[in-house]
Structures are given as C-alpha cells and as structure tokens.
C-alpha cells in the first residue's frame, strides 16, 4: 500500500522532527496539536518555504485523521491520554489508515486494549535526531502494516531495529533511563555535577556524547514523562522520577528548547 | 610540597600503564610486584614503548585512537609536560622495578596501589605502606569499587589517602575524596593526573561504582534484563546502544573486552555496598561464569571470539 498523506499528532520535539523529515521526502503532512501555540512554534521552525504547500497545521484532529494514510502519534507518553487518543483515532480513521505510535515507553498491548482494529496499530519509536527507529513486530499488527512502516522509516533515512517482543520502555528508552536514573542520583547527592557526569561518560566510558546533554536536547519534560510512564507500567522504584528532574521542570528549565536545562543553550531560533 | 617520586604497587595491565604515564609526566618511578618475571616484563616494555617508539596495538589502545579521530574535542588541553628526550631517557633508565615493597615506596611522594580488587589484600598493603613510607607520602588506590575510606582507616594518615581510579587507556581519572581526605591531597593528585596527560574529575564523595561505571552500569543492567527476557538479541541491543544512545561500542561488546568475571566482581561489590535489589548481579553473568565464558580472553562471552 502507498502512503501519501501523513497526519502527525503532537507538535513537540519529535513531532516537529518527523514533520520536517516527511516533508523533505515529498509527503503531504498535516501537523495536529491541541495547542495553537505549539503549532505556531513548530511552523516557525520548519525551515524551507517550498514545503508550505504540502503542510497544514491544525487543531482539528478529525479533519486530518480522516484523510490520512498514516497517522503518527508523537504526543507525550501519558498512558491515560494515549488511551483516549487511540480510541478516538480508531473511529476517526478510514479502514486503510495505519496508526503508528512513537511511544518510547508504552507497550503495544496497552494501546490495543482500546481499539477495535488492532491489526493496524504499530509501534515505531523514532528516537529523536538519531538514526534509530525501534519497531515492535508482534501480533496482532498485520504484515502489510509492518512492511509499510519499515519502508517509511527507511525512506526517511533511518535504521530500523525490529524487536519481536516488547516491554515497557522497549529496549532503547529502558537502557537510557537506566543510565539517567543513576546519573540523577549522583547529581542529587552532589557527588559530581552534570558537566562532570558527562565528562566521565565520554572520557571514561567512551561514549560519543554525555547523557545529561542528551537529556537536555531531548527535553527534560520528555525525560520526566518517560520515567513517570515506566514507573506506572512497572512499579519499579528506579524509574520513579527524581527530585532533581522535578525541580528543573518546575523552574521551566526544559533543556535546549527553553534555553536551559542542566546546561545553558544558545537560542534555538538564532542558531538554526 | 613538590611531588617527584611516584611508586606503583602491582604491575598488572593497569599498574604498568600507570607507571608508563608517570614516567612520561616527568616523574621518577618505582614499580613493585610480587612476581619478578612480571616486573621485568613491564620495565622492558616501557623501555620499548617510550625509547624505541613501539606502538601499542591492543584493542583498547586502538579504540582510544579511533575516539581521538572522531572526537578530538575530548582530548583538548590534555598533554604531558614538555620534557626533553634526554630527560625522558634518564627517567626511563632511572625507573626501578622490584619485588621489594619497602625499596619501592620508602622515598616515594605518592604511592598508587593497583593490585587485584580484593579488599583484605588492599587493606594489608595500605597498612604496610603506612609503616614504610615517609609521613608526607600520599597513598592513592586505583580500586574501581572499594571505598577509599575503608583503606584509609588502616593507616595513621587518612587525610593523605585518596581514590585515583584510572579507566584502562581512556583519558579519565576519577579522583575520589574519602571522608577525611585533605584539600592538599586532592590538589596533588589532580596535578599528577594532569601531568600524566589525563583528565581528572574530582568526586566530592564516595559513591558505589563511582561515576563512570555507575552510570554506564545502569544501562548495562537494563541490557542484561532485556536479554534475559528475550526482548532483543545481544547484537540488537548493542546496535540500539550505538545508534540511539551514543555508545561507541555496545554494552555486551565492552563487557566481553573487560572480562565478564571483572564485571561480575564489580557488580557484587556494588551490591554489597548498596544492598539495593536493583543492583543485584545479573544471573546471566553468573551462568556465563559457571560455563567458563569470560569474554574475549577465553574466546567466548556474549560473542564468539575464536
């Protein structure tokens, strides 16, 4: 089956990245968010003018979902909100539409519990600006849906890794948070600063970049939400959001996008 | 206080590297090991590397070279002091290799202990060093898991005891303050690390696994869980870690390099300190150990190396 019209729900960091990638590959994209503000910001950050004919930005999800071949959920990993969203999409989308979730933490079964056509639900965790896409290949997702999504990811220049089972956090986000929770405890206990943690990882453990800068680039609200979701799904204490993270968010320090998180960042708009 | 003489206790892989870096940093070095053969070998190899420029081609050194090409910014500002070829030659020839601890440490300004990761062995060495060394001598431990305070209590100089954790040939040195470590001890160790061409990071407190191993171990723990639950294969997990999380080598590849026995011992030690069920050693590692699969060195670990 061919994908032409894509509806991307959620105009945050991941939604905006996906919008740009899809436009660059010639798709027609409607970006959808409940917040007009988020949509305007996303629109202002989409670089090339030649894309504007193929891009619409709207708060009306039904209007764009009913015309989409592929709906991409790039909303925050809030379990209850996602259940509501998938239930709505299930009735809004035409039969042929693929409903893809970029969730970094929620397993397929949780989403499928609220839909009537689980064979078209698929999880593909596009992991920010890296080439990684984790695709969960398991029942009841249909073979044609899997193939189409894998093809879509490859067309965007990504490197899909196909997992045949899933779990809360899949593989990538689980490993990521496993590191972050320890790093946050080290910072909380004032053993070392965020800067020093990153130096230890690059110069000691041979990482190409430090984990705290990574958190800042992803957005601390994303990291917090991922912890919260994983904590709710597993009940495991290490995924309980850390105080340090809560304080940053309360202070409006969300990372690169807000100009400051664990580090101070140059202005995003003037830099790009 | 001027630091001129460095003594290294234990001439295993890490001890030998530490001795070499100290010579390059312009220090007079003595290295001690219980084995005469090992001491000879290490002294000979340092002669070869530093005087005849024989390149180091093992996997870890090659990985660091690759890192330098890919991320030159990590290495900015790291350099050894300018010493003349004549001075280097003098320092290499002056390097003392011995099996006698007293000979090695009695005029040292700093002793770096780099023996096996065994607390009673290290405690015994700290007691001996305290009795043999001059009163000003700093006693540093390269332990990767043992808290320096547990060694410092064996001595009459806890303010001059400190953690100095080297990570293979990587540029990082974690400098760990014990509960009694003095500021001047920290300053002297930071300077020594810089002179060795390393990047010292001072940790204000002792912490299980320190920083680098604790954080990367947090990812490693989840990697083991994913494998246990058959969510993903060894290759897939390493691939995801590299593509998505910025690892240069995946967690399983690194564990095979380091040795699964070493990783297991470190996990046991961290678990003993925290008592946290989340830090329990991985059952997968225990299985591997029971089968004698220790990684690269035995030809099999998570990967097949033979």
């Amino acid at each position: 089956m061919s994908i032409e019209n894509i509806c991307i729900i959620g105009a945050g960091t991941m939604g905006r990245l996906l919008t740009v990638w899809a436009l660059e590959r010639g798709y027609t994209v409607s970006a959808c968010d409940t917040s007009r503000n988020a949509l305007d910001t996303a629109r202002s950050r989409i670089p090339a003018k030649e894309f504007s004919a193929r891009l619409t930005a709207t708060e009306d999800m039904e209007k764009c979902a009913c015309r989409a071949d592929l709906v991409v959920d790039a909303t925050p990993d809030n379990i209850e909100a996602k259940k509501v969203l998938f239930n709505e999409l299930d009735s809004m989308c035409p039969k042929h539409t693929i409903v893809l979730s970029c969730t970094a933490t929620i397993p397929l079964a949780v989403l499928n519990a609220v839909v009537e056509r689980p064979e078209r639900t698929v999880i593909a965790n596009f992991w920010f600006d890296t080439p990684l896409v984790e695709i969960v290949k398991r029942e009841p997702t249909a073979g044609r849906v899997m193939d189409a999504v894998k093809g879509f990811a490859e067309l965007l220049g990504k490197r899909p890794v196909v997992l045949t089972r899933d779990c809360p956090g899949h593989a990538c986000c689980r490993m990521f948070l496993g590191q972050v929770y320890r790093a946050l405890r080290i910072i909380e206990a004032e053993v070392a600063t965020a800067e020093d943690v990153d130096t230890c990882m690059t110069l000691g453990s041979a990482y190409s970049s430090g984990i705290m800068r990574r958190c800042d680039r992803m957005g601390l609200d994303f990291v917090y939400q991922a912890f919260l979701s994983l904590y709710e799904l597993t009940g495991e204490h290490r995924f309980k959001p850390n105080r340090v993270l809560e304080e940053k968010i309360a202070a409006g320090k969300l990372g690169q996008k807000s100009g400051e998180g664990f580090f101070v960042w140059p202005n995003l708009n003037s830099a790009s | 206080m001027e630091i001129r003489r460095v003594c290294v206790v234990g001439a295993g892989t890490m001890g030998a590297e530490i001795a070499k870096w100290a010579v390059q940093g312009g220090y007079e070095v003595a290295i001690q090991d219980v084995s005469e053969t090992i001491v000879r070998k290490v002294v000979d190899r340092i002669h070869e590397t530093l005087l005849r420029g024989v390149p180091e081609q093992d996997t870890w050194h090659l990985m660091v070279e690759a890192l330098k090409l890919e991320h030159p910014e990590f290495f900015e500002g790291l350099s050894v002091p300018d010493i003349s070829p004549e001075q280097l030659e003098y320092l290499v020839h002056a390097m003392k290799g011995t099996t006698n601890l007293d000979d090695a440490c009695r005029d040292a300004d700093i002793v770096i202990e780099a023996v096996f990761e065994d607390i009673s062995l290290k405690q015994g060495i700290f007691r001996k060093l305290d009795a043999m060394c001059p009163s000003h001598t700093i006693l540093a431990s390269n332990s990767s898991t043992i808290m320096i305070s547990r060694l410092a209590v064996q001595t009459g100089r806890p303010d001059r005891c400190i953690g100095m954790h080297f990570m293979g040939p990587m540029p990082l040195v974690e400098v760990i303050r014990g509960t009694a470590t003095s500021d001047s001890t920290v300053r002297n160790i930071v300077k020594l690390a810089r002179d060795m061409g390393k990047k010292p990071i001072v940790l204000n407190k002792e912490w299980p696994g320190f920083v680098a191993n604790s954080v990367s171990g947090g990812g490693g723990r989840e990697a083991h869980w994913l494998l246990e639950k058959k969510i993903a294969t060894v290759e897939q997990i390493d691939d995801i870690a590299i593509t998505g999380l910025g690892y240069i080598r995946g967690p399983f590849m690194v564990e095979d390099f380091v040795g699964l026995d070493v990783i297991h011992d470190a996990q046991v030690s961290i678990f003993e300190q925290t008592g946290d069920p989340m830090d329990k050693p991985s059952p997968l590692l225990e299985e591997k150990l029971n089968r004698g699969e220790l990684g690269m060195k035995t030809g099999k670990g998570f990967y097949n190396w033979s």
Side-chain angles (χ1 to χ4, degrees):
Chain A
M1 65 157 297
S2 77
I3 296 171
E4 280 166 26
N5 284 306
I6 301 181
C7 166
I8 295 174
I9 300 167
T13 306
M14 203 57 243
R16 186 162 47 81
L17 284 171
L18 279 159
T19 303
V20 174
W21 295 333
L23 287 168
E24 281 172 350
R25 289 292 180 276
Y27 292 105
T28 300
V29 179
S30 43
C32 179
D33 199 295
T34 47
S35 148
R36 191 71 233 174
N37 244 345
L39 283 173
D40 290 343
T41 313
R43 224 185 160 136
S44 71
R45 286 183 187 160
I46 286 170
K49 293 244 180 326
E50 72 257 35
F51 294 152
S52 49
R54 281 187 284 113
L55 174 66
T56 49
T58 173
E59 290 152 271
D60 186 348
M61 183 166 83
E62 181 149 25
K63 206 173 89 190
C64 52
C66 72
R67 285 186 284 114
D69 304 312
L70 170 68
V71 172
V72 178
D73 151 44
T75 63
D77 268 5
N78 178 320
I79 301 168
E80 288 315 308
K82 281 237 200 266
K83 282 184 182 168
V84 172
L85 174 69
F86 272 70
N87 183 263
E88 283 174 358
L89 286 172
D90 195 43
S91 53
M92 285 175 187
C93 297
K95 266 188 189 151
H96 80 281
T97 307
I98 294 172
V99 184
L100 180 160
S101 178
C102 288
T103 176
T105 58
I106 302 171
L108 189 62
V110 174
L111 304 178
N112 277 340
V114 297
V115 302
E116 274 171 25
R117 296 201 196 97
E119 67 281 357
R120 62 154 169 197
T121 315
V122 61
I123 285 176
N125 174 26
F126 284 81
W127 190 247
F128 295 89
D129 55 355
T130 74
L132 178 69
V133 183
E134 263 178 332
I135 300 181
V136 177
K137 182 185 182 179
R138 61 171 303 173
E139 293 291 323
T141 307
R144 66 160 183 101
V145 172
M146 272 301 306
D147 294 344
V149 166
K150 194 155 172 275
F152 172 66
E154 282 165 349
L155 200 69
L156 297 192
K158 298 292 160 184
R159 188 183 156 85
V161 174
V162 179
L163 303 179
T164 48
R165 295 187 185 195
D166 72 344
C167 62
H170 317 308
C172 180
C173 193
R174 184 174 269 270
M175 282 195 277
F176 177 67
L177 295 185
Q179 298 175 335
V180 179
Y181 107 86
R182 285 198 174 169
L184 288 172
R185 285 183 58 194
I186 285 167
I187 294 166
E188 184 181 23
E190 294 177 352
V191 174
T193 61
E195 178 74 54
D196 286 349
V197 167
D198 275 9
T199 306
C200 286
M201 294 188 73
T202 51
L203 298 190
S205 302
Y207 284 69
S208 59
S209 68
I211 194 164
M212 300 319 294
R213 277 188 180 72
R214 225 159 243 274
C215 287
D216 262 14
R217 287 203 308 269
M218 292 172 167
L220 300 187
D221 48 348
F222 164 82
V223 178
Y224 175 82
Q225 193 64 53
F227 268 119
L228 198 62
S229 165
L230 216 50
Y231 182 51
E232 280 175 25
L233 290 161
T234 65
E236 289 186 43
H237 192 72
R238 69 183 175 287
F239 297 128
K240 197 170 172 192
N242 183 290
R243 184 180 61 82
V244 176
L245 206 50
E246 285 170 350
E247 283 170 5
K248 290 276 179 202
I249 289 168
K253 295 177 181 173
L254 304 183
Q256 190 174 25
K257 61 185 163 193
S258 74
E260 188 181 345
F262 287 99
F263 303 88
V264 175
W265 296 84
N267 186 292
L268 207 64
N269 289 318
S270 64
S272 64
Chain B
M1 180 181 71
E2 203 208 343
I3 307 285
R4 281 177 49 216
R5 296 195 180 89
V6 172
C7 164
V8 180
V9 180
T13 319
M14 202 62 249
E17 289 280 297
I18 293 170
K20 183 187 74 186
W21 295 326
V23 171
Q24 285 176 307
Y27 294 87
E28 287 175 32
V29 175
I31 183 162
Q32 185 271 349
D33 196 284
V34 286
S35 154
E36 172 81 37
T37 334
I38 289 176
V39 166
R40 277 289 114 235
K41 225 190 244 171
V42 166
V43 171
D44 288 349
R45 207 174 58 231
I46 292 178
H47 276 247
E48 273 185 7
T49 318
L50 295 188
L51 296 184
R52 289 195 288 282
V54 177
E56 291 158 302
Q57 297 273 0
D58 56 283
T59 327
W60 275 110
H61 279 95
L62 293 176
M63 191 167 139
V64 173
E65 289 310 310
L67 190 65
K68 275 184 189 164
L69 289 176
E70 219 183 305
H71 296 283
E73 74 278 11
F74 294 166
F75 297 84
E76 271 165 25
L78 302 182
S79 63
V80 297
D82 268 332
I83 55 172
S84 66
E86 294 76 29
Q87 202 186 347
L88 181 67
E89 197 172 336
Y90 162 76
L91 289 170
V92 173
H93 287 298
M95 188 177 60
K96 189 181 347 177
T98 175
T99 55
N100 184 319
L101 186 63
D102 191 35
D103 272 354
C105 77
R106 76 176 152 226
D107 57 0
D109 300 311
I110 293 181
V111 180
I112 304 171
E113 167 277 308
V115 301
F116 290 116
E117 202 67 358
D118 174 327
I119 182 141
S120 50
L121 175 66
K122 284 181 195 275
Q123 285 174 331
I125 287 173
F126 265 65
R127 273 196 301 273
K128 280 189 204 160
L129 288 172
D130 189 41
M132 291 170 174
C133 293
S135 65
H136 76 277
T137 308
I138 292 172
L139 307 181
S141 173
N142 174 52
S143 172
S144 55
T145 58
I146 297 165
M147 303 296 191
I148 188 61
S149 296
R150 296 184 71 188
L151 303 178
V153 292
Q154 303 294 319
T155 73
R157 58 179 91 195
D159 56 318
R160 276 148 289 160
C161 291
I162 190 163
M164 189 180 192
H165 179 223
F166 291 84
M167 302 205 51
M170 294 298 291
L172 181 74
V173 176
E174 290 173 320
V175 176
I176 306 110
R177 270 181 191 275
T179 45
T181 309
S182 72
D183 290 345
S184 76
T185 301
V186 172
R187 275 196 302 275
N188 280 311
I189 291 295
V190 163
K191 179 172 187 309
L192 172 65
R194 289 208 180 107
D195 286 344
M196 291 166 104
K198 300 285 157 186
K199 171 75 178 179
I201 292 287
V202 179
L203 312 188
N204 298 319
K205 290 175 200 167
E206 296 166 284
W207 189 259
F210 311 141
V211 172
N213 285 343
S214 167
V215 176
S216 58
R221 184 193 182 284
E222 303 301 334
H224 282 254
W225 185 90
L226 290 163
L227 190 61
E228 265 167 56
K229 302 287 175 203
K230 298 189 168 65
I231 305 290
T233 65
V234 166
E235 289 81 3
Q236 281 183 322
I237 292 169
D238 275 2
D239 191 5
I240 288 168
I242 293 167
T243 319
L245 298 176
Y247 287 63
I248 289 177
R249 295 280 186 285
F252 290 115
M253 181 77 72
V254 171
E255 290 188 5
D256 270 8
F257 280 157
V258 175
L260 304 188
D261 49 341
V262 177
I263 301 284
H264 181 259
D265 288 352
Q267 289 185 351
V268 169
S269 168
I270 290 177
F271 179 54
E272 279 171 6
Q273 292 172 50
T274 65
D276 190 333
M278 294 185 289
D279 293 331
K280 249 186 201 156
S282 145
L284 266 182
L285 271 185
E286 276 164 12
E287 271 174 45
K288 292 268 176 205
L289 259 47
N290 289 338
R291 285 202 294 268
E293 297 171 5
L294 306 183
M296 230 173 185
K297 59 188 168 193
T298 61
K300 196 171 190 313
F302 289 105
Y303 290 90
N304 228 322
W305 297 95
S306 46

